[in-house]
């Protein structure tokens, strides 16, 4: 990346832009973020912000950051007046591939960007470079060149979609982890929170595997939670529930009142069992 040279200037769309070669390969042209800002009629800080916001989407064959690279690159930037008014900002230099990615990230409402990109690739990156190396006849027709451009854009689009899919997976994982976490402060809503976590887990499992529907998974998760509670706490919740119901009847409660009791009511009367159950629900959600 150290063999960058300024090889004069070239007229493009009524302005002169510096011709810079090297950095990614012998004789390969690159373009400055400062130049991109000029030809697209946007501020340099907007170009830099767009690059910095998507820095992980650029590979080592897409982008050079002079001010975080070697001393020779920093000197190159300074000697050739490639730094804007803010001397502390990064100086980004992009290959054709990197520039194409950057254009794909720009505001989609600006149709002019595609015309500018096609012209720059045609007049600066591709055809002029091929004329210099004697390879201009690789594209026998304009249609062939346009097909080549389209294929390159599709590659970039696919890469961006893959990056977006990976980011979406991370966001879903973060959301799942948040769903698994129950409040340690608000003990009044522990029943509803546990139900919600198990319900969301069942929905997630049903989307992944179509063999069973959500209700089947939900039933399985509930039974797994009670089974684990029995094994870890050595407690028969069903037996406790039966004992509580018998005691209520003996104390004059109606059958309707007694029938409304369930296993969660048993946990309500025992903080250790309640805490253990909440932990088990979290654990189940994290595993699925």
């Amino acid at each position: 990346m150290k063999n960058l040279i300024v090889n004069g200037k070239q007229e493009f769309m009524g302005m002169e832009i510096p011709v810079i070669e090297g950095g990614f390969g012998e004789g390969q042209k690159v373009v400055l973020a400062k130049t991109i800002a000029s030809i697209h009629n946007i501020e340099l800080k907007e170009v830099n912000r767009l690059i910095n916001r998507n820095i992980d989407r650029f590979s080592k064959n897409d982008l050079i950051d002079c001010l975080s690279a070697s001393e020779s690159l920093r000197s190159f930037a300074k000697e050739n007046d490639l730094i804007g008014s803010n001397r502390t900002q990064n100086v980004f230099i992009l290959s054709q591939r990197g520039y194409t990615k950057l254009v794909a990230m720009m505001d989609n409402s600006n149709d002019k960007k595609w015309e500018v990109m096609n012209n720059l690739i045609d007049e600066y990156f591709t055809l002029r470079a091929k004329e210099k190396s004697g390879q201009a006849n690789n594209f026998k027709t304009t249609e062939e060149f346009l097909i080549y451009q389209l294929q390159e854009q599709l590659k970039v689009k696919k890469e961006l979609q893959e990056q977006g899919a990976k980011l979406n997976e991370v966001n879903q994982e973060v959301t799942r982890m948040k769903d698994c976490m129950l409040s340690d402060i608000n003990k009044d809503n522990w029943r509803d929170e546990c139900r919600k976590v198990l319900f969301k887990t069942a929905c997630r499992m049903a989307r992944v595997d179509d063999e069973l529907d959500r209700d089947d998974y939900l039933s399985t998760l509930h039974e797994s939670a009670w089974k684990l509670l029995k094994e870890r706490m050595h407690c028969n919740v069903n037996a406790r529930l039966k004992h509580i119901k018998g005691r209520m009847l003996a104390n004059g409660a109606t059958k309707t009142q007694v029938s409304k009791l369930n296993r969660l009511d048993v946990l309500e009367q025992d903080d250790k069992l309640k805490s253990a159950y909440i932990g088990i629900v979290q654990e189940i959600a994290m595993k699925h």
Side-chain angles (χ1 to χ4, degrees):
M1 291 187 181
K2 297 181 181 180
N3 299 321
L4 287 167
I5 60 171
V6 177
N7 192 11
K9 292 188 176 182
Q10 177 178 325
E11 185 173 344
F12 175 76
M13 295 183 68
M15 65 184 74
E16 283 192 338
I17 62 175
V19 177
I20 303 176
E21 297 178 357
F24 298 98
E26 185 67 27
Q28 182 177 343
K29 289 185 178 180
V30 294
V31 64
L32 296 166
K34 186 177 179 181
T35 301
I36 295 170
S38 297
I39 64 177
H40 283 274
N41 194 28
I42 55 179
E43 294 187 21
L44 175 57
K45 64 181 181 180
E46 293 299 325
V47 175
N48 286 340
R49 185 179 297 120
L50 188 60
I51 294 174
N52 282 315
R53 192 164 58 232
N54 298 278
I55 196 70
D56 292 338
R57 296 183 176 181
F58 292 96
S59 71
K60 63 180 181 180
N61 294 319
D62 298 331
L63 184 71
I64 300 174
D65 174 2
C66 275
L67 296 188
S68 64
S70 65
E71 182 63 34
S72 60
L73 283 175
R74 290 193 290 271
S75 299
F76 171 84
K78 185 176 180 180
E79 290 170 3
N80 291 280
D81 191 28
L82 305 182
I83 303 177
S85 57
N86 181 0
R87 296 279 169 173
T88 62
Q89 69 185 8
N90 293 352
V91 178
F92 291 115
I93 299 176
L94 296 95
S95 64
Q96 177 184 336
R97 174 187 167 91
Y99 169 64
T100 305
K101 277 188 178 182
L102 181 64
V103 173
M105 297 169 189
M106 290 181 181
D107 184 3
N108 287 327
S109 64
N110 182 6
D111 293 333
K112 186 75 174 176
K113 68 178 183 181
W114 300 113
E115 179 184 347
V116 174
M117 186 193 78
N118 288 335
N119 288 338
L120 191 65
I121 291 176
D122 188 348
E123 298 182 20
Y124 179 77
F125 279 113
T126 308
L127 294 186
R128 292 291 175 87
K130 289 184 177 293
E131 288 171 3
K132 184 176 179 180
S133 61
Q135 299 176 0
N137 59 359
N138 281 1
F139 298 118
K140 296 180 181 179
T141 65
T142 302
E143 287 77 10
E144 287 184 6
F145 177 64
L146 291 176
I147 291 172
Y148 164 79
Q149 285 184 285
L150 180 59
Q151 290 172 337
E152 290 299 306
Q153 291 178 28
L154 288 175
K155 287 180 183 178
V156 172
K157 183 178 180 181
K158 183 179 179 181
E159 289 179 2
L160 293 178
Q161 288 175 338
E162 290 174 351
Q163 290 284 346
K166 291 180 181 178
L167 181 60
N168 186 50
E169 288 179 4
V170 172
N171 289 337
Q172 288 181 348
E173 181 65 15
V174 171
T175 300
R176 184 175 73 85
M177 293 180 69
K178 287 181 178 179
D179 290 340
C180 295
M181 302 308 295
L182 304 182
S183 173
D184 291 329
I185 300 175
N186 188 1
K187 297 295 185 180
D188 294 336
N189 295 328
W190 71 272
R191 297 190 187 203
D192 288 338
E193 289 180 11
C194 284
R195 288 193 188 100
K196 289 177 182 178
V197 169
L198 292 176
F199 178 79
K200 289 181 179 180
T201 304
C203 290
R204 185 165 55 248
M205 294 172 69
R207 284 196 296 270
V208 174
D209 185 358
D210 294 332
E211 292 184 7
L212 297 175
D213 62 22
R214 182 199 64 204
D215 291 339
D216 290 328
Y217 280 115
L218 186 58
S219 177
T220 300
L221 292 176
H222 276 295
E223 290 308 312
S224 295
W226 290 114
K227 181 179 179 181
L228 287 171
L229 183 67
K230 182 178 180 180
E231 292 174 355
R232 295 180 183 179
M233 302 301 292
H234 307 288
C235 172
N236 190 329
V237 176
N238 290 328
R240 283 200 184 189
L241 178 61
K242 184 177 180 180
H243 176 72
I244 292 173
K245 286 182 176 182
R247 190 170 59 199
M248 286 183 65
L249 287 172
N251 291 333
T254 65
K255 290 185 177 180
T256 301
Q257 290 174 322
V258 172
S259 65
K260 292 180 179 179
L261 293 178
N262 58 50
R263 288 179 289 188
L264 295 178
D265 293 305
V266 176
L267 305 188
E268 192 72 73
Q269 299 179 18
D270 190 319
D271 286 339
K272 289 184 178 180
L273 288 180
K274 183 197 303 182
S275 297
Y277 180 78
I278 290 173
I280 288 169
V281 169
Q282 290 177 312
E283 180 183 325
I284 289 174
M286 290 294 289
K287 287 183 177 179
H288 300 284

Short mmCIF file of all heavy atoms in Angstrom, two decimals, residues 36-91:
data_model
loop_
_atom_site.label_atom_id
_atom_site.label_comp_id
_atom_site.label_asym_id
_atom_site.label_seq_id
_atom_site.Cartn_x
_atom_site.Cartn_y
_atom_site.Cartn_z
N ILE A 36 -14.27 12.24 -4.18
CA ILE A 36 -15.65 11.73 -4.21
C ILE A 36 -16.63 12.79 -3.75
O ILE A 36 -17.69 12.99 -4.35
CB ILE A 36 -15.77 10.47 -3.34
CG1 ILE A 36 -14.93 9.34 -3.93
CG2 ILE A 36 -17.23 10.02 -3.21
CD1 ILE A 36 -14.79 8.13 -3.03
N ALA A 37 -16.27 13.49 -2.68
CA ALA A 37 -17.13 14.56 -2.17
C ALA A 37 -17.34 15.64 -3.23
O ALA A 37 -18.47 16.13 -3.41
CB ALA A 37 -16.53 15.16 -0.91
N SER A 38 -16.29 15.98 -3.95
CA SER A 38 -16.38 17.03 -4.97
C SER A 38 -17.27 16.62 -6.13
O SER A 38 -18.17 17.35 -6.55
CB SER A 38 -14.99 17.39 -5.49
OG SER A 38 -14.19 17.93 -4.45
N ILE A 39 -17.05 15.42 -6.66
CA ILE A 39 -17.79 15.03 -7.86
C ILE A 39 -19.25 14.68 -7.56
O ILE A 39 -20.12 14.80 -8.43
CB ILE A 39 -17.11 13.85 -8.59
CG1 ILE A 39 -17.11 12.60 -7.73
CG2 ILE A 39 -15.71 14.21 -9.01
CD1 ILE A 39 -16.52 11.38 -8.41
N HIS A 40 -19.53 14.28 -6.32
CA HIS A 40 -20.92 13.99 -5.94
C HIS A 40 -21.60 15.20 -5.30
O HIS A 40 -22.76 15.11 -4.89
CB HIS A 40 -20.99 12.80 -4.99
CG HIS A 40 -20.82 11.47 -5.67
ND1 HIS A 40 -21.87 10.78 -6.23
CD2 HIS A 40 -19.70 10.73 -5.91
CE1 HIS A 40 -21.41 9.65 -6.76
NE2 HIS A 40 -20.10 9.58 -6.57
N ASN A 41 -20.85 16.29 -5.19
CA ASN A 41 -21.39 17.56 -4.67
C ASN A 41 -21.94 17.39 -3.25
O ASN A 41 -23.06 17.83 -2.93
CB ASN A 41 -22.49 18.11 -5.60
CG ASN A 41 -22.82 19.56 -5.29
OD1 ASN A 41 -21.97 20.31 -4.79
ND2 ASN A 41 -24.04 19.96 -5.57
N ILE A 42 -21.15 16.73 -2.41
CA ILE A 42 -21.50 16.61 -1.00
C ILE A 42 -20.28 16.99 -0.17
O ILE A 42 -19.16 17.07 -0.70
CB ILE A 42 -21.96 15.19 -0.62
CG1 ILE A 42 -20.89 14.15 -1.02
CG2 ILE A 42 -23.29 14.85 -1.26
CD1 ILE A 42 -21.27 12.72 -0.67
N GLU A 43 -20.47 17.24 1.10
CA GLU A 43 -19.36 17.66 1.95
C GLU A 43 -18.46 16.46 2.28
O GLU A 43 -18.93 15.34 2.43
CB GLU A 43 -19.88 18.28 3.25
CG GLU A 43 -20.62 19.61 3.03
CD GLU A 43 -20.97 20.27 4.34
OE1 GLU A 43 -20.33 19.94 5.37
OE2 GLU A 43 -21.87 21.12 4.35
N LEU A 44 -17.16 16.74 2.40
CA LEU A 44 -16.20 15.69 2.71
C LEU A 44 -16.54 15.00 4.04
O LEU A 44 -16.41 13.78 4.16
CB LEU A 44 -14.78 16.27 2.77
CG LEU A 44 -13.66 15.32 3.22
CD1 LEU A 44 -13.59 14.10 2.32
CD2 LEU A 44 -12.32 16.05 3.25
N LYS A 45 -17.01 15.79 5.01
CA LYS A 45 -17.32 15.20 6.31
C LYS A 45 -18.45 14.18 6.20
O LYS A 45 -18.50 13.21 6.97
CB LYS A 45 -17.68 16.27 7.32
CG LYS A 45 -18.93 17.06 7.02
CD LYS A 45 -19.19 18.12 8.09
CE LYS A 45 -20.46 18.91 7.82
NZ LYS A 45 -20.70 19.94 8.86
N GLU A 46 -19.37 14.37 5.22
CA GLU A 46 -20.45 13.41 5.01
C GLU A 46 -19.91 12.10 4.44
O GLU A 46 -20.35 11.02 4.80
CB GLU A 46 -21.51 14.00 4.09
CG GLU A 46 -22.28 15.18 4.67
CD GLU A 46 -23.03 14.79 5.94
OE1 GLU A 46 -23.51 13.65 6.03
OE2 GLU A 46 -23.10 15.62 6.87
N VAL A 47 -18.94 12.22 3.52
CA VAL A 47 -18.32 11.02 2.94
C VAL A 47 -17.57 10.26 4.04
O VAL A 47 -17.70 9.04 4.17
CB VAL A 47 -17.36 11.40 1.80
CG1 VAL A 47 -16.63 10.15 1.30
CG2 VAL A 47 -18.12 12.06 0.66
N ASN A 48 -16.79 11.00 4.83
CA ASN A 48 -16.04 10.35 5.92
C ASN A 48 -16.96 9.71 6.95
O ASN A 48 -16.69 8.62 7.46
CB ASN A 48 -15.13 11.38 6.61
CG ASN A 48 -13.92 11.74 5.76
OD1 ASN A 48 -13.54 11.00 4.87
ND2 ASN A 48 -13.34 12.89 6.03
N ARG A 49 -18.06 10.40 7.24
CA ARG A 49 -19.02 9.86 8.20
C ARG A 49 -19.63 8.56 7.68
O ARG A 49 -19.79 7.59 8.43
CB ARG A 49 -20.12 10.87 8.48
CG ARG A 49 -21.10 10.41 9.57
CD ARG A 49 -22.18 11.44 9.84
NE ARG A 49 -21.62 12.68 10.36
CZ ARG A 49 -21.73 13.87 9.79
NH1 ARG A 49 -22.40 13.99 8.66
NH2 ARG A 49 -21.19 14.94 10.32
N LEU A 50 -19.95 8.53 6.38
CA LEU A 50 -20.53 7.34 5.77
C LEU A 50 -19.55 6.17 5.81
O LEU A 50 -19.92 5.03 6.09
CB LEU A 50 -20.95 7.64 4.33
CG LEU A 50 -21.75 6.57 3.59
CD1 LEU A 50 -23.05 6.28 4.32
CD2 LEU A 50 -22.05 7.02 2.17
N ILE A 51 -18.28 6.46 5.54
CA ILE A 51 -17.26 5.41 5.58
C ILE A 51 -17.06 4.91 7.01
O ILE A 51 -17.04 3.70 7.27
CB ILE A 51 -15.92 5.93 5.01
CG1 ILE A 51 -16.06 6.22 3.51
CG2 ILE A 51 -14.81 4.92 5.25
CD1 ILE A 51 -14.84 6.89 2.89
N ASN A 52 -16.92 5.84 7.95
CA ASN A 52 -16.69 5.45 9.35
C ASN A 52 -17.85 4.65 9.92
O ASN A 52 -17.66 3.70 10.68
CB ASN A 52 -16.46 6.70 10.20
CG ASN A 52 -15.06 7.25 10.04
OD1 ASN A 52 -14.09 6.51 10.06
ND2 ASN A 52 -14.94 8.56 9.87
N ARG A 53 -19.09 5.02 9.51
CA ARG A 53 -20.27 4.32 10.02
C ARG A 53 -20.34 2.90 9.48
O ARG A 53 -20.94 2.02 10.11
CB ARG A 53 -21.53 5.10 9.63
CG ARG A 53 -22.78 4.63 10.36
CD ARG A 53 -23.90 5.64 10.26
NE ARG A 53 -24.26 5.93 8.90
CZ ARG A 53 -24.34 7.16 8.38
NH1 ARG A 53 -24.07 8.22 9.12
NH2 ARG A 53 -24.68 7.34 7.12
N ASN A 54 -19.75 2.66 8.31
CA ASN A 54 -19.81 1.33 7.68
C ASN A 54 -18.42 0.72 7.52
O ASN A 54 -18.21 -0.11 6.63
CB ASN A 54 -20.48 1.43 6.30
CG ASN A 54 -21.91 1.91 6.37
OD1 ASN A 54 -22.81 1.14 6.63
ND2 ASN A 54 -22.11 3.20 6.14
N ILE A 55 -17.49 1.11 8.38
CA ILE A 55 -16.09 0.72 8.20
C ILE A 55 -15.89 -0.79 8.15
O ILE A 55 -15.02 -1.29 7.44
CB ILE A 55 -15.22 1.35 9.32
CG1 ILE A 55 -13.74 1.31 8.93
CG2 ILE A 55 -15.49 0.69 10.65
CD1 ILE A 55 -13.37 2.23 7.83
N ASP A 56 -16.72 -1.54 8.87
CA ASP A 56 -16.57 -3.00 8.90
C ASP A 56 -16.97 -3.65 7.58
O ASP A 56 -16.67 -4.82 7.34
CB ASP A 56 -17.42 -3.60 10.03
CG ASP A 56 -16.89 -3.23 11.40
OD1 ASP A 56 -15.70 -2.88 11.48
OD2 ASP A 56 -17.65 -3.28 12.37
N ARG A 57 -17.66 -2.90 6.72
CA ARG A 57 -18.10 -3.46 5.44
C ARG A 57 -17.04 -3.31 4.35
O ARG A 57 -17.21 -3.85 3.25
CB ARG A 57 -19.40 -2.79 5.00
CG ARG A 57 -20.56 -3.06 5.94
CD ARG A 57 -21.84 -2.44 5.44
NE ARG A 57 -22.97 -2.80 6.31
CZ ARG A 57 -24.22 -2.43 6.11
NH1 ARG A 57 -24.51 -1.68 5.07
NH2 ARG A 57 -25.17 -2.78 6.94
N PHE A 58 -15.99 -2.59 4.65
CA PHE A 58 -14.90 -2.43 3.68
C PHE A 58 -13.79 -3.41 4.00
O PHE A 58 -13.40 -3.57 5.16
CB PHE A 58 -14.36 -1.01 3.71
CG PHE A 58 -15.32 0.04 3.21
CD1 PHE A 58 -16.12 0.74 4.10
CD2 PHE A 58 -15.44 0.30 1.86
CE1 PHE A 58 -17.01 1.71 3.66
CE2 PHE A 58 -16.33 1.26 1.40
CZ PHE A 58 -17.12 1.96 2.30
N SER A 59 -13.26 -4.05 2.97
CA SER A 59 -12.15 -4.98 3.16
C SER A 59 -10.84 -4.24 2.93
O SER A 59 -10.81 -3.07 2.55
CB SER A 59 -12.28 -6.14 2.18
OG SER A 59 -11.99 -5.70 0.86
N LYS A 60 -9.73 -4.95 3.12
CA LYS A 60 -8.41 -4.34 2.92
C LYS A 60 -8.16 -4.02 1.45
O LYS A 60 -7.24 -3.26 1.14
CB LYS A 60 -7.33 -5.28 3.45
CG LYS A 60 -7.25 -6.62 2.72
CD LYS A 60 -6.16 -7.49 3.32
CE LYS A 60 -6.05 -8.82 2.59
NZ LYS A 60 -5.00 -9.69 3.16
N ASN A 61 -8.95 -4.60 0.55
CA ASN A 61 -8.82 -4.29 -0.87
C ASN A 61 -9.75 -3.17 -1.31
O ASN A 61 -9.84 -2.86 -2.50
CB ASN A 61 -9.11 -5.54 -1.71
CG ASN A 61 -8.09 -6.63 -1.50
OD1 ASN A 61 -6.90 -6.36 -1.42
ND2 ASN A 61 -8.54 -7.88 -1.39
N ASP A 62 -10.47 -2.59 -0.36
CA ASP A 62 -11.41 -1.52 -0.67
C ASP A 62 -10.92 -0.15 -0.27
O ASP A 62 -11.20 0.85 -0.93
CB ASP A 62 -12.75 -1.75 0.07
CG ASP A 62 -13.44 -3.03 -0.34
OD1 ASP A 62 -13.26 -3.46 -1.48
OD2 ASP A 62 -14.17 -3.60 0.50
N LEU A 63 -10.15 -0.08 0.84
CA LEU A 63 -9.97 1.19 1.52
C LEU A 63 -8.60 1.31 2.17
O LEU A 63 -8.09 0.36 2.73
CB LEU A 63 -11.07 1.32 2.59
CG LEU A 63 -11.17 2.59 3.40
CD1 LEU A 63 -11.70 3.73 2.54
CD2 LEU A 63 -12.12 2.36 4.58
N ILE A 64 -8.01 2.51 2.06
CA ILE A 64 -6.81 2.84 2.82
C ILE A 64 -7.14 4.07 3.66
O ILE A 64 -7.73 5.03 3.19
CB ILE A 64 -5.62 3.21 1.89
CG1 ILE A 64 -5.27 2.05 0.97
CG2 ILE A 64 -4.40 3.59 2.73
CD1 ILE A 64 -4.21 2.40 -0.04
N ASP A 65 -6.73 4.03 4.92
CA ASP A 65 -6.86 5.20 5.79
C ASP A 65 -5.46 5.72 6.03
O ASP A 65 -4.71 5.17 6.82
CB ASP A 65 -7.54 4.79 7.10
CG ASP A 65 -7.59 5.93 8.10
OD1 ASP A 65 -7.13 7.03 7.74
OD2 ASP A 65 -8.06 5.72 9.23
N CYS A 66 -5.10 6.79 5.33
CA CYS A 66 -3.72 7.28 5.38
C CYS A 66 -3.26 7.61 6.79
O CYS A 66 -2.14 7.31 7.18
CB CYS A 66 -3.57 8.52 4.50
SG CYS A 66 -3.26 8.15 2.77
N LEU A 67 -4.13 8.27 7.55
CA LEU A 67 -3.68 8.78 8.84
C LEU A 67 -3.60 7.72 9.92
O LEU A 67 -3.11 7.99 11.01
CB LEU A 67 -4.58 9.93 9.29
CG LEU A 67 -4.53 11.16 8.37
CD1 LEU A 67 -5.29 12.29 9.00
CD2 LEU A 67 -3.10 11.58 8.09
N SER A 68 -4.11 6.51 9.65
CA SER A 68 -3.94 5.44 10.62
C SER A 68 -3.05 4.35 10.03
O SER A 68 -2.90 3.29 10.60
CB SER A 68 -5.30 4.83 10.99
OG SER A 68 -5.90 4.24 9.86
N ALA A 69 -2.46 4.63 8.88
CA ALA A 69 -1.56 3.67 8.23
C ALA A 69 -0.10 4.06 8.50
O ALA A 69 0.22 4.66 9.53
CB ALA A 69 -1.86 3.61 6.74
N SER A 70 0.78 3.77 7.57
CA SER A 70 2.21 3.98 7.80
C SER A 70 2.58 5.45 7.71
O SER A 70 1.84 6.28 7.19
CB SER A 70 3.00 3.18 6.76
OG SER A 70 2.75 3.72 5.47
N GLU A 71 3.77 5.77 8.19
CA GLU A 71 4.27 7.14 8.14
C GLU A 71 4.41 7.63 6.71
O GLU A 71 4.16 8.79 6.40
CB GLU A 71 5.63 7.21 8.86
CG GLU A 71 6.23 8.61 8.91
CD GLU A 71 5.37 9.58 9.69
OE1 GLU A 71 4.74 9.15 10.68
OE2 GLU A 71 5.32 10.76 9.31
N SER A 72 4.80 6.72 5.80
CA SER A 72 4.96 7.11 4.40
C SER A 72 3.63 7.53 3.79
O SER A 72 3.57 8.46 2.98
CB SER A 72 5.57 5.96 3.59
OG SER A 72 4.73 4.82 3.64
N LEU A 73 2.53 6.86 4.18
CA LEU A 73 1.22 7.24 3.65
C LEU A 73 0.78 8.59 4.22
O LEU A 73 0.17 9.40 3.53
CB LEU A 73 0.19 6.17 3.99
CG LEU A 73 0.25 4.91 3.13
CD1 LEU A 73 -0.75 3.89 3.63
CD2 LEU A 73 -0.04 5.23 1.68
N ARG A 74 1.09 8.81 5.49
CA ARG A 74 0.75 10.12 6.07
C ARG A 74 1.52 11.23 5.37
O ARG A 74 0.98 12.31 5.10
CB ARG A 74 1.04 10.11 7.57
CG ARG A 74 0.08 9.24 8.37
CD ARG A 74 0.18 9.51 9.86
NE ARG A 74 1.44 9.02 10.41
CZ ARG A 74 1.63 7.78 10.87
NH1 ARG A 74 0.63 6.92 10.84
NH2 ARG A 74 2.78 7.40 11.35
N SER A 75 2.79 10.97 5.09
CA SER A 75 3.61 11.96 4.38
C SER A 75 3.07 12.20 2.98
O SER A 75 3.01 13.33 2.49
CB SER A 75 5.07 11.49 4.30
OG SER A 75 5.61 11.35 5.59
N PHE A 76 2.66 11.11 2.34
CA PHE A 76 2.09 11.20 0.99
C PHE A 76 0.86 12.11 1.00
O PHE A 76 0.70 12.99 0.15
CB PHE A 76 1.70 9.81 0.51
CG PHE A 76 0.90 9.79 -0.77
CD1 PHE A 76 1.52 9.85 -1.99
CD2 PHE A 76 -0.48 9.71 -0.73
CE1 PHE A 76 0.78 9.84 -3.16
CE2 PHE A 76 -1.23 9.71 -1.88
CZ PHE A 76 -0.59 9.77 -3.11
N ALA A 77 -0.02 11.92 1.97
CA ALA A 77 -1.23 12.72 2.06
C ALA A 77 -0.91 14.19 2.27
O ALA A 77 -1.50 15.08 1.65
CB ALA A 77 -2.12 12.22 3.19
N LYS A 78 0.08 14.46 3.13
CA LYS A 78 0.43 15.84 3.43
C LYS A 78 1.11 16.52 2.25
O LYS A 78 0.77 17.65 1.88
CB LYS A 78 1.36 15.87 4.65
CG LYS A 78 1.71 17.27 5.12
CD LYS A 78 2.54 17.20 6.39
CE LYS A 78 2.90 18.61 6.88
NZ LYS A 78 3.71 18.57 8.12
N GLU A 79 2.04 15.83 1.61
CA GLU A 79 2.80 16.40 0.51
C GLU A 79 1.92 16.71 -0.70
O GLU A 79 2.18 17.64 -1.45
CB GLU A 79 3.92 15.44 0.10
CG GLU A 79 5.03 15.33 1.13
CD GLU A 79 5.98 14.19 0.80
OE1 GLU A 79 5.79 13.55 -0.26
OE2 GLU A 79 6.89 13.95 1.61
N ASN A 80 0.87 15.92 -0.89
CA ASN A 80 0.03 16.09 -2.07
C ASN A 80 -1.28 16.81 -1.76
O ASN A 80 -2.22 16.77 -2.55
CB ASN A 80 -0.25 14.73 -2.71
CG ASN A 80 0.99 14.13 -3.33
OD1 ASN A 80 1.37 14.49 -4.43
ND2 ASN A 80 1.63 13.22 -2.61
N ASP A 81 -1.32 17.48 -0.62
CA ASP A 81 -2.49 18.29 -0.24
C ASP A 81 -3.77 17.48 -0.32
O ASP A 81 -4.76 17.89 -0.93
CB ASP A 81 -2.58 19.53 -1.14
CG ASP A 81 -3.61 20.52 -0.61
OD1 ASP A 81 -3.83 20.54 0.61
OD2 ASP A 81 -4.20 21.26 -1.42
N LEU A 82 -3.77 16.31 0.28
CA LEU A 82 -4.94 15.44 0.24
C LEU A 82 -5.79 15.57 1.50
O LEU A 82 -6.83 14.93 1.62
CB LEU A 82 -4.51 13.97 0.09
CG LEU A 82 -3.61 13.68 -1.10
CD1 LEU A 82 -3.32 12.20 -1.16
CD2 LEU A 82 -4.23 14.15 -2.39
N ILE A 83 -5.34 16.40 2.43
CA ILE A 83 -6.06 16.57 3.68
C ILE A 83 -6.91 17.82 3.59
O ILE A 83 -6.47 18.85 3.10
CB ILE A 83 -5.09 16.68 4.87
CG1 ILE A 83 -4.19 15.44 4.93
CG2 ILE A 83 -5.84 16.84 6.17
CD1 ILE A 83 -3.16 15.49 6.01
N GLY A 84 -8.15 17.71 4.09
CA GLY A 84 -9.07 18.85 4.04
C GLY A 84 -8.69 19.91 5.06
O GLY A 84 -7.59 19.91 5.62
N SER A 85 -9.61 20.82 5.31
CA SER A 85 -9.35 21.93 6.22
C SER A 85 -9.08 21.46 7.64
O SER A 85 -8.34 22.06 8.39
CB SER A 85 -10.53 22.91 6.21
OG SER A 85 -11.73 22.25 6.56
N ASN A 86 -9.72 20.34 8.02
CA ASN A 86 -9.50 19.77 9.35
C ASN A 86 -8.32 18.80 9.27
O ASN A 86 -8.45 17.68 8.79
CB ASN A 86 -10.75 19.04 9.84
CG ASN A 86 -10.56 18.46 11.22
OD1 ASN A 86 -9.50 18.60 11.82
ND2 ASN A 86 -11.59 17.81 11.73
N ARG A 87 -7.17 19.20 9.74
CA ARG A 87 -5.94 18.42 9.55
C ARG A 87 -5.92 17.14 10.36
O ARG A 87 -5.05 16.30 10.17
CB ARG A 87 -4.74 19.28 9.95
CG ARG A 87 -4.56 20.49 9.06
CD ARG A 87 -3.87 20.12 7.76
NE ARG A 87 -3.92 21.21 6.80
CZ ARG A 87 -3.28 21.20 5.64
NH1 ARG A 87 -2.55 20.16 5.31
NH2 ARG A 87 -3.37 22.20 4.81
N THR A 88 -6.87 16.97 11.29
CA THR A 88 -6.87 15.77 12.12
C THR A 88 -7.76 14.67 11.55
O THR A 88 -7.79 13.57 12.06
CB THR A 88 -7.35 16.09 13.54
OG1 THR A 88 -8.69 16.56 13.49
CG2 THR A 88 -6.47 17.15 14.18
N GLN A 89 -8.51 14.99 10.48
CA GLN A 89 -9.45 13.99 9.97
C GLN A 89 -8.74 12.90 9.19
O GLN A 89 -7.61 13.08 8.72
CB GLN A 89 -10.50 14.67 9.09
CG GLN A 89 -9.94 15.20 7.78
CD GLN A 89 -11.00 15.98 7.01
OE1 GLN A 89 -12.07 16.23 7.50
NE2 GLN A 89 -10.67 16.34 5.78
N ASN A 90 -9.37 11.77 9.03
CA ASN A 90 -8.81 10.67 8.25
C ASN A 90 -8.78 11.04 6.77
O ASN A 90 -9.61 11.80 6.29
CB ASN A 90 -9.64 9.41 8.43
CG ASN A 90 -9.57 8.87 9.85
OD1 ASN A 90 -8.79 9.36 10.64
ND2 ASN A 90 -10.38 7.88 10.15
N VAL A 91 -7.81 10.46 6.08
CA VAL A 91 -7.75 10.61 4.62
C VAL A 91 -8.01 9.25 4.02
O VAL A 91 -7.16 8.37 4.05
CB VAL A 91 -6.37 11.14 4.16
CG1 VAL A 91 -6.34 11.24 2.64
CG2 VAL A 91 -6.09 12.50 4.78
#
